[in-house]
Amino acid sequence: MEPIRVIPEKCTGCKLCVKACSYDAITMVEKKAVIDLEKCTICGACVDACKKFEAIVIYRQTFEGQDISKHAGICVYAEHHRGKLAPVVLEVIGAAKQLKKDLGENLSSILLGNGVRPLAEELISYGVNEVWMIDSPEIGDYSEDIQAELVSEILMEKKPAIFLGGGTVIGRSLLPTVAAKILSGLTADCTELSIEEIDGRKILKQTRPAFGGNIMATILCKNHRPQMATVRHKVMDEAEKVGEDHQGKIVEFNHISIPEPYIKVLDFVEDVTEKISLEDADIIVSGGRGLQDPKNFALIEKFAEQIGAAVGASRAAVDAGWIPYSHQVGQTGKTVKPTVYIACGISGAIQHLAGMKSSDIIIAINKDPQAPIFDVAHYGIVGDLFEVIPEITRQLDGEG
Amino acid sequence: MKIIVCIKQVPDTTNVKINPETNTLIREGVESIINPFDTYAIEEGVRLKEKFGGEVLILSMGPPQAEDALREALSLGADDAYLLSDRAFAGADTLATAYTLAAGIRKLGGADIILMGRQAIDGDTGQVGPGVGVNLGIPCITNIRKIEQIDEDTTITVERLLETGYVRLKTRLPVVLTVVKEINEPRLPSLRTMMKAKKKEIIRWGKDDLEVDPNRIGLTGSPTQVIKIFTPPKSPRGKIFENGETKERVASLLRELKKAGINLKGDEERIKDGTD
Ligand SMILES: Cc1cc2nc3c(=O)[nH]c(=O)nc-3n(C[C@H](O)[C@H](O)[C@H](O)COP(=O)(O)OP(=O)(O)OC[C@H]3O[C@@H](n4cnc5c(N)ncnc54)[C@H](O)[C@@H]3O)c2cc1C
Ligand SMILES: Nc1ncnc2c1ncn2[C@@H]1O[C@H](COP(=O)(O)O)[C@@H](O)[C@H]1O
């Protein structure tokens, strides 16, 4: 990242900066200011001199004494895969729109990729005011080092007060990289966001589970900007489309040069054991150690097939090798939020609950009436699943 | 090959109990362990050493009692262990932790590969790995489920676990990798390695031993601030059917579900989606 840069489109060639610089570091080339980085000490005098046009930007932030008064607005990182926005992005936009009600500032989104303009239109259709976009073949496949670099530069230039991303594998890796580059605070995997007025300033209040979901913590980032957070998938409500009269604009950042990727993508291998993706499923049937044997997992699979559900599992079932890791629900597996979650032979350890607690309806089948799963279940049957599940199947069939 | 593994000592959260009156964690009697994900990082480091030669160093930031975790790591096959411990480091968030660990790694002369766990089970953030990468000016790749290949000590090919599968990536050393549990199965310490570990000196460094800016460590260096801790509210117990024949219990459940507008069977569309 260059520490300081002139934005050519904004430079009027007025030379105020040349006069302001005590290090002789600025010259005019074809009526645009050019900064000699060898001489520049990043003192900021030129930035002050150019206040009116804002054509000079310092990208290097120091940890102390940040001027946070200029930061405004909420920005959302638009993660996308193979031509589609990641589902979590709509949830983050949904959360951001709620915050916007209290903050009253612009909602923007950073979109980087190759051939992503249709996604920019889509973001606008969900209520984003400005899409900060770089659409270039040079970006190519998702390369984290490039994305982190470009996101950091755009944030330093546009100065949003809040920057949010999805709590996906990508989001939870990209945002900490950005936070470390621009020296701001980041809260991981938030389940609740709100704006609170503290000492006359509107601050983002971030709440998240910690200690494996045993406790909740509320976290603030008072003196650094942007206030950054990743948002847990499947917790916030998706943004709804806005009416035709909503006007958004696309702002392109062609003056930022795209670095060579340091990390190269060779290929992507999709997990094919999932019939219905857990994240998108309407109903999930999950099995745990109570199934006792890999053969018995077929019982879960058959039940799931009968009612058109996806198959989930507890870590105990995954660790035993009964079903691949991609089916694991929980703190270290997937977070799901189906309409109906049916837990069979799962005790309901806090780490499992972390991944499914926000399901609309939870149904538990367990032979131990004390099992913690019954503390979160809306409905349940205490009993042996080897009797209960076939009986459910029978009665459903009988009905049909 | 030089490998540094960053580990954290954490309370065993599977056994955490909540005091119902004060709504706080009961810390007494809760065992301290090596963060479970870090045990996979240690194992991977030791395996790389067995394959390529070199050394495995363990680095941790924490209070003096974290020495126990470091000693355990030594018994699992690491060569030396370093503890960054100073009152001035206390209260660090992920930004300050990453900054301090990076300073420790620099003092150790850097490494070819820096291994860490995917996340610590107390904070559950997974942010320290990427932060260390930035502070050292090298890439970090998270969620590694396999190190496929290392060529002539300069390029490395890894598999990174994503939600829908995995992606194969190639980069140059040095690199920071955070690992998931699929990567290996950690070995247990043997009596011999335990005895050896017992005799080893664990080197302790404070803030004056490292090249750090006092404004960027500990509480001062942490932009985020925890203002409140509370237990998640408990919801009232739902409709649980405990008595009667299995048949009756199932019938009651299905009746209740129907009343609530949930028909497990009904939706043909969904069932069709599910079976193709
Ligand atoms: C760092 C960390 C991360 C973790 N992440 C996750 C995670 O992401 N997801 C996850 O699920 N776990 C996770 N765990 C593990 C978690 O703590 C539990 O160990 C696990 O969820 C237990 O799985 P289970 O409920 O299937 O097994 P058990 O706890 O053994 O429960 C089995 C249940 O089945 C019931 N049962 C037995 N036989 C029958 C029968 N015939 N009919 C009806 N009921 C029966 C029993 O009463 C019991 O309640 C994590 C743990 C740690 C330390
Ligand atoms: N205080 C620490 N000392 C050493 N390593 C740490 C420390 N905190 C975090 N780590 C490493 O960073 C990983 C992710 O931790 P976290 O970002 O806190 O979830 C852990 O698995 C450790 O490998």
Side-chain angles (χ1 to χ4, degrees):
Chain A
M1 201 188 303
E2 283 164 32
I4 186 165
R5 181 180 293 147
V6 178
I7 300 170
E9 293 92 73
K10 291 189 178 172
C11 178
T12 60
C14 73
K15 294 190 194 158
L16 280 175
C17 56
V18 178
K19 289 188 199 116
C21 181
S22 8
Y23 302 94
D24 249 351
I26 308 182
T27 47
M28 300 305 287
V29 178
E30 291 171 14
K31 294 199 174 147
K32 302 279 177 199
V34 173
I35 301 173
D36 181 349
L37 291 176
E38 298 279 308
K39 292 181 183 165
C40 174
T41 65
I42 320 176
C43 69
C46 55
V47 178
D48 273 342
C50 189
K51 241 188 213 137
K52 199 165 145 202
F53 307 108
E54 292 183 335
I56 306 179
V57 184
I58 292 184
Y59 290 97
R60 186 173 293 159
Q61 190 148 255
T62 57
F63 188 75
E64 324 93 69
Q66 273 196 50
D67 177 8
I68 64 170
S69 63
K70 290 203 182 73
H71 291 254
I74 309 165
C75 178
V76 171
Y77 176 70
E79 180 180 340
H80 57 90
H81 304 281
R82 287 178 277 172
K84 276 199 202 137
L85 290 175
V88 71
V89 173
L90 296 189
E91 296 165 18
V92 182
I93 292 177
K97 279 164 87 175
Q98 288 299 322
L99 298 175
K100 192 182 155 182
K101 282 187 192 156
D102 290 324
L103 211 58
E105 293 166 0
N106 235 17
L107 172 58
S108 56
S109 182
I110 294 182
L111 175 65
L112 310 171
N114 183 18
V116 290
R117 191 169 288 267
L119 299 183
E121 304 291 347
E122 194 181 342
L123 288 165
I124 289 171
S125 76
Y126 284 99
V128 170
N129 303 105
E130 271 183 30
V131 179
W132 302 336
M133 180 178 86
I134 303 179
D135 187 356
S136 158
E138 278 177 77
I139 295 185
D141 282 330
Y142 178 87
S143 179
E144 202 144 277
D145 46 333
I146 292 187
Q147 296 268 332
E149 183 75 12
L150 298 177
V151 169
S152 303
E153 296 211 16
I154 293 173
L155 291 177
M156 293 302 283
E157 192 173 318
K158 300 301 288 187
K159 299 187 174 25
I162 295 173
F163 180 53
L164 307 174
T168 54
V169 174
I170 296 291
R172 293 188 65 178
S173 169
L174 179 76
L175 270 79
T177 308
V178 170
K181 276 178 188 268
I182 66 175
L183 299 178
S184 195
L186 167 64
T187 306
D189 215 21
C190 296
T191 51
E192 233 181 282
L193 295 171
S194 60
I195 300 289
E196 189 158 288
E197 191 146 334
I198 297 170
D199 307 330
R201 286 187 298 160
K202 288 185 170 166
I203 307 279
L204 179 67
K205 213 171 113 184
Q206 311 162 90
T207 299
R208 65 179 300 260
F211 284 88
N214 283 291
I215 56 163
M216 304 293 292
T218 300
I219 293 167
L220 305 179
C221 172
K222 279 194 195 158
N223 301 317
H224 296 260
R225 294 294 179 272
Q227 306 160 83
M228 294 174 57
T230 52
V231 177
R232 177 170 287 193
H233 190 21
K234 294 280 171 186
V235 173
M236 310 287 183
D237 292 326
E238 283 187 4
E240 307 214 339
K241 289 233 183 202
V242 290
E244 291 287 319
D245 52 331
H246 168 75
Q247 300 268 321
K249 69 174 182 195
I250 298 174
V251 182
E252 294 194 63
F253 285 74
N254 296 327
H255 57 278
I256 298 182
S257 52
I258 297 164
E260 273 292 306
Y262 213 86
I263 303 170
K264 265 180 62 187
V265 181
L266 300 179
D267 50 22
F268 173 74
V269 182
E270 196 165 354
D271 187 336
V272 291
T273 59
E274 269 180 281
K275 279 198 187 146
I276 312 176
S277 108
L278 276 179
E279 281 98 335
D280 302 331
D282 206 23
I283 303 189
I284 294 174
V285 178
S286 273
R289 183 146 41 203
L291 282 155
Q292 291 158 13
D293 199 278
K295 287 199 302 289
N296 297 335
F297 227 87
L299 183 67
I300 295 291
E301 276 155 12
K302 230 179 82 210
F303 180 34
E305 196 166 311
Q306 185 195 13
I307 61 173
V311 175
S314 74
R315 173 159 144 187
V318 172
D319 280 356
W322 301 345
I323 187 162
Y325 169 73
S326 58
H327 294 259
Q328 182 175 319
V329 171
Q331 183 197 356
T332 46
K334 290 181 174 161
T335 311
V336 298
K337 194 187 176 193
T339 319
V340 180
Y341 186 90
I342 310 178
C344 311
I346 292 179
S347 61
I350 195 96
Q351 294 89 354
H352 187 79
L353 300 185
M356 43 64 74
K357 223 172 20 190
S358 40
S359 305
D360 294 346
I361 298 286
I362 296 167
I363 304 174
I365 302 168
N366 195 306
K367 66 179 180 190
D368 173 13
Q370 304 301 327
I373 190 77
F374 287 122
D375 294 339
V376 299
H378 303 92
Y379 301 95
I381 291 185
V382 177
D384 187 340
L385 67 90
F386 295 107
E387 291 171 18
V388 173
I389 294 177
E391 182 61 29
I392 295 180
T393 303
R394 252 193 310 274
Q395 294 197 14
L396 284 177
D397 263 349
E399 253 180 33
Chain B
M1 181 169 299
K2 186 169 168 195
I3 294 148
I4 295 177
V5 185
C6 295
I7 70 165
K8 186 178 187 187
Q9 189 187 45
V10 295
D12 184 356
T13 55
T14 33
N15 299 320
V16 169
K17 300 248 156 30
I18 307 285
N19 179 338
E21 268 141 49
T22 57
N23 261 351
T24 50
L25 288 179
I26 302 172
R27 296 276 190 131
E28 290 118 60
V30 178
E31 208 191 334
S32 286
I33 54 171
I34 297 181
N35 176 37
F37 293 105
D38 301 353
T39 59
Y40 303 98
I42 298 170
E43 176 66 27
E44 198 61 20
V46 174
R47 286 188 190 189
L48 287 173
K49 179 180 102 168
E50 285 166 354
K51 193 158 167 198
F52 295 98
E55 56 176 349
V56 178
L57 309 181
I58 305 287
L59 179 67
S60 185
M61 180 183 94
Q65 61 265 31
E67 273 202 8
D68 296 343
L70 291 171
R71 208 167 288 288
E72 194 183 330
L74 288 172
S75 77
L76 294 168
D79 296 293
D80 282 300
Y82 297 81
L83 177 63
L84 310 179
S85 194
D86 196 309
R87 290 199 100 108
F89 297 152
D93 71 359
T94 55
L95 193 75
T97 303
Y99 175 79
T100 311
L101 287 174
I105 292 167
R106 240 179 267 119
K107 181 154 172 136
L108 289 171
D112 298 304
I113 299 181
I114 293 148
L115 290 166
M116 331 210 2
R118 145 186 173 154
Q119 63 188 193
I121 60 165
D122 52 355
D124 290 332
T125 79
Q127 293 178 174
V128 171
V132 167
V134 171
N135 276 288
L136 294 173
I138 61 177
C140 167
I141 311 180
T142 61
N143 261 35
I144 300 301
R145 58 164 234 165
K146 188 171 178 190
I147 296 180
E148 251 182 36
Q149 202 173 328
I150 301 176
D151 292 325
E152 288 144 28
D153 287 356
T154 56
T155 60
I156 179 166
T157 308
V158 294
E159 294 178 7
R160 179 188 201 197
L161 191 66
L162 298 176
E163 283 85 359
T164 48
Y166 65 87
V167 59
R168 291 174 60 240
L169 301 166
K170 193 171 184 159
T171 190
R172 261 167 296 164
L173 299 181
V175 67
V176 178
L177 303 176
T178 80
V179 304
V180 295
K181 65 186 253 290
E182 283 62 42
I183 197 165
N184 60 40
E185 201 145 320
R187 70 195 71 184
L188 295 170
S190 68
L191 203 59
R192 192 181 59 86
T193 54
M194 264 153 84
M195 292 308 290
K196 224 172 111 195
K198 231 182 203 146
K199 289 197 209 100
K200 274 252 157 101
E201 189 200 355
I202 288 168
I203 296 138
R204 203 194 291 182
W205 287 332
K207 81 169 193 309
D208 296 330
D209 299 309
L210 300 179
E211 262 181 53
V212 287
D213 173 351
N215 289 314
R216 295 214 36 205
I217 57 173
L219 205 55
T220 331
S222 299
T224 61
Q225 192 189 350
V226 178
I227 55 156
K228 192 172 115 189
I229 286 196
F230 58 101
T231 42
K234 251 199 172 143
S235 46
R237 203 172 160 95
K239 293 203 165 91
I240 313 294
F241 302 101
E242 289 194 55
N243 303 314
E245 289 291 306
T246 305
K247 218 170 167 170
E248 287 162 32
R249 272 174 285 155
V250 169
S252 313
L253 174 74
L254 293 180
R255 205 178 316 115
E256 282 299 326
L257 288 177
K258 206 167 196 176
K259 255 201 265 168
I262 303 157
N263 191 352
L264 286 185
K265 205 158 173 214
D267 198 335
E268 290 296 324
E269 189 81 344
R270 190 186 66 224
I271 293 173
K272 215 166 74 244
D273 279 358
T275 44
D276 57 31

